[in-house]
Structure formats: structure tokens, C-alpha cells
């Protein structure tokens, strides 16, 4: 039987170290490798909202050219990091065009985002109404869904960390 | 089949929202947009046009209708549509529909929306209709406008008959399949109600000036 080499023995440790480093980068808000920007139409977004095992889902629609979107992003990410262990899922959807994909990915990486996010494709109206029929389509916009995909709170315009924390607290007190 | 599913999806989303009574945290300036059938709000408010004149919506109202488009210089969505908006606004007058473009944005953090830049843009676009400054953002508030660009078309009786976006493809005019505003203008010019009365698109939130 071949004896395990030093490299073989150390491989699981390296894998764990890399995973931990990635998590540490996100947890501390450091620069990450560019996250995947997945093309998402209405169906993909609806499927994401129906994906199980989340206590709450915050959807944020943003774009690189939207200054308030960029301004609020650190607060949204800090909110996500603080409540990740409690079952909060964050769904970031970029409204950038294909020509802006690289900028979008670069911006997210600079914010420390290392999980897949979405870039909207398809008809605007269907997308807007699928998230919230009351929404005019103005950016930025954020939507808090409960674990069953029901819309509970919405923010049209920039949102603050304090507002998000309070909203999540209200949601946690609601009967399922 | 796809249309049925889309409609079902939209209905489901609408019903779910109503049922859950989701709390809304709108920007303080936002309110519900003007309902169809409404009269022109702030119709006599004078706004400074790029040619230096003070103009109100009533001043430009046409015999067959009136088009008000909230738009601006800096927003990429508004810029993507600006040639089409200019063409439609210029053409509206020839159909007896008065038109006015209103910039509601606070230029403090968006210098591209300053008056000098508006003048340059109007020239570059060969605008033949007033491009005015909503210098308190209150006209936009009165309309319930929230995004740029956002069009409001009133019929001959001064009632709102179309509200929404320009068409279904901001990126490529040659790929437009639903020219919503063009069709609405043609309908109003012909004394008919537009077939599509309300539309939406993504866009830049209006940068409202602080209330005094």
C-alpha cells in the first residue's frame, strides 16, 4: 500500500484554509475574487425566492451607474454578514447592461462579495412586477421576503443598516 | 402559453403583496403616481426653460393633448432614450399635442443636471419643445413621478391617458418591439384612447430637492 505523502496529508488542511480565507474575506468585508454574475430572468428570480432554507431573503436591485446603489451597498452587505448565521439570504440583482458586466463584477469584488449574484435579463416590466407590483422601477430598491417568499417590506430608494435591522426584527416576531 | 404564465405570475405577485400588506418605506418624496383619468397637476407652475423663458405645462398644452416627460441629463436610462424622447416630443407638436420635458433633479450632487448642461443637451438634441427646471422638485412630487425618464400623456380633455416608459428597449432603438409612447401619441392625436395605458421600466430614481 502506498504511504500518503506529506502533500496528500496536507491537502485537506489547504482546502479548509482556502475556504476559511474566503469566508474571512467576506465576513470582514475584504476584497474578494470576482463573484459570478448569473443571468437572471423573471423565472430565475422567482426560483431563487422559492429556494428553501432561508428564514428571510433580502433582494436588492442595484446598478454600477446608480450612485445611491453604490452608497448603500456596504450597509446591505454588513447587514447580510451580521445575520447570515440566522438564515438571512441576500439576493443582489444588477440592472447593468451586458457592456457593464465587468464593472459590476469588479464593484462587487471590491465590496468583498464572493457569492453568486444576478444580472437582470429580459423584460423590465415583468421583472418589476414579479418583485413588487407597486414598485415603479426606480433604483435602488430593496425587498424583504420571509422564508416562504412572501414580500414583507420594501424600500424605494436608499436603505440604511438600522432600517434593515429593525425590519428583520419585525419579521422575526411575525407568526409564520 | 408564455404570456399566460407571465400574467399569472404578475397576478400572483399582486395578490401576494396585497394579502401580506407588505410595509413600504418609500423615499419621503414618493407617493402613488398620478392615476389614469387625473387632470394635469401643477399645470400653471412656471418653470425656467433652457431658452430663459418661464413656461408652465398649461402654456404648452395642445388642442389634442399634452405630453410631460420627466427626464434629465445624467441618468444612463434617460440618456439611452433621449434622442427618441426628443424626436417624439418634437413630433408631438405637429400632431397638435403640446410637449414639455421637465428635469426634476437636484444638481448639487449631479452637476450634469445643472442648467448650463441642460442648455447644451437641448441644443445637441435639436429640441423644439421646452426643457425646463423643476427647481423645487414639487412638480415631480405632484405627479408622483419617481424615475427618469417617466412620461405622462394627457388627452384633449386634459385627463391622463398614458403613463410610463418610452418603449421596450432602451439599449437598441432598432430592437424595439413595443413603442409604447409613440403608439400612445398616435392614438391621442387620432382622438382615441391608447391601447396600452400604463407601463414601467427600470430607471434612475429622481434626485429630489429637499423640501423647504
Amino acid at each position: 500500500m502506498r504511504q500518503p505523502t506529506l502533500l496528500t496529508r496536507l491537502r485537506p488542511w489547504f482546502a479548509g484554509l482556502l475556504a476559511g480565507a474566503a469566508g474571512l474575506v467576506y465576513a470582514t468585508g475584504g476584497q474578494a475574487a470576482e463573484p459570478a454574475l448569473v443571468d437572471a430572468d423573471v423565472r430565475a428570480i422567482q426560483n431563487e425566492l422559492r429556494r428553501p432554507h432561508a428564514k428571510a431573503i433580502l433582494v436588492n436591485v442595484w446598478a454600477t451607474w446608480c450612485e445611491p446603489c453604490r452608497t448603500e451597498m456596504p450597509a446591505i452587505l454588513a447587514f447580510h454578514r451580521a445575520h447570515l448565521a440566522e438564515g438571512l439570504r441576500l439576493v443582489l440583482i444588477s440592472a447593468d447592461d451586458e457592456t457593464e458586466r465587468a464593472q459590476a463584477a469588479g464593484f462587487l469584488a471590491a465590496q468583498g462579495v464572493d457569492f453568486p449574484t444576478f444580472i437582470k435579463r429580459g423584460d423590465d416590466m415583468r421583472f418589476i412586477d414579479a418583485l413588487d407590483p407597486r414598485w415603479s422601477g426606480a433604483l435602488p430598491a430593496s425587498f424583504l421576503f420571509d422564508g416562504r417568499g412572501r414580500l414583507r417590506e420594501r424600500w424605494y430608494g436608499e436603505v440604511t443598516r438600522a432600517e434593515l435591522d429593525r425590519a428583520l426584527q419585525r419579521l422575526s416576531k411575525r407568526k409564520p | 402559453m408564455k404570456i399566460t404564465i407571465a400574467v399569472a405570475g404578475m397576478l400572483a405577485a399582486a395578490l401576494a403583496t396585497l394579502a401580506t400588506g407588505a410595509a413600504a418605506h418609500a423615499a419621503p418624496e414618493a407617493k402613488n403616481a398620478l392615476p389614469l383619468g387625473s387632470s394635469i397637476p401643477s399645470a400653471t407652475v412656471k418653470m425656467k426653460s433652457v431658452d430663459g423663458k418661464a413656461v408652465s405645462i398649461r402654456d404648452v398644452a395642445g388642442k389634442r393633448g399634452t405630453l410631460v416627460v420627466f427626464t434629465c441629463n445624467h441618468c444612463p436610462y434617460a440618456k439611452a432614450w433621449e434622442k427618441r424622447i426628443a424626436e417624439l416630443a418634437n413630433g408631438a407638436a405637429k400632431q397638435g399635442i403640446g410637449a414639455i420635458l421637465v428635469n426634476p433633479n437636484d444638481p448639487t450632487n449631479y452637476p450634469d443636471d445643472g442648467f448650463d448642461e441642460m442648455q447644451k443637451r437641448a441644443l445637441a438634441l435639436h429640441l423644439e419643445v421646452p426643457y425646463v427646471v423643476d427647481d423645487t422638485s414639487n412638480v415631480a412630487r405632484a405627479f408622483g413621478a419617481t424615475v427618469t425618464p417617466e412620461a405622462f400623456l394627457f388627452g384633449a380633455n386634459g385627463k391622463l391617458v398614458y403613463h410610463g416608459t418610452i418603449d421596450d428597449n432602451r439599449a437598441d432603438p432598432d430592437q424595439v418591439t413595443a413603442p409604447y409612447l409613440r403608439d400612445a401619441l398616435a392614438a391621442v392625436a387620432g382622438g382615441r384612447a391608447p391601447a396600452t395605458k400604463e407601463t414601467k421600466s427600470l430607471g434612475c430614481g429622481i434626485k429630489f430637492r429637499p423640501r423647504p
Side-chain angles (χ1 to χ4, degrees), chain A residues 68-143:
Chain A
C69 303
R70 294 197 311 271
T71 304
E72 68 174 4
M73 189 63 78
I76 287 172
L77 295 175
F79 169 70
H80 178 228
R81 284 190 292 267
H83 298 285
L84 183 59
E86 298 159 31
L88 174 67
R89 181 181 303 148
L90 176 59
V91 178
L92 297 174
I93 307 174
S94 165
D96 286 291
D97 287 335
E98 188 58 34
T99 55
E100 293 148 345
R101 182 187 286 266
Q103 287 107 295
F107 173 76
L108 291 172
Q111 298 290 316
V113 174
D114 65 350
F115 50 88
T117 71
F118 298 96
I119 188 163
K120 178 217 153 272
R121 291 294 171 256
D123 183 68
D124 273 7
M125 265 196 293
R126 290 185 61 195
F127 170 76
I128 292 166
D129 286 338
L131 280 175
D132 180 5
R134 291 197 211 171
W135 180 32
S136 69
L139 297 188
S142 299
F143 309 92

Side-chain angles (χ1 to χ4, degrees), chain A residues 15 25 41 55 74-75 78 80 98 117 122 128 141 143-144 152 162 173:
Chain A
V25 163
D41 59 8
K55 292 262 176 76
H80 178 228
E98 188 58 34
T117 71
I128 292 166
F143 309 92
L144 186 64
R152 293 301 191 184
K173 290 178 182 168

Side-chain angles (χ1 to χ4, degrees), chain A residues 47-58:
Chain A
N47 286 342
E48 183 65 19
L49 291 176
R50 285 193 285 263
R51 204 156 60 86
H53 308 309
K55 292 262 176 76
I57 306 158
L58 180 70

Side-chain angles (χ1 to χ4, degrees), chain B residues 91-104:
Chain B
K94 299 182 178 73
Q95 301 177 84
I97 299 171
I100 186 168
L101 306 189
V102 182
N103 187 336

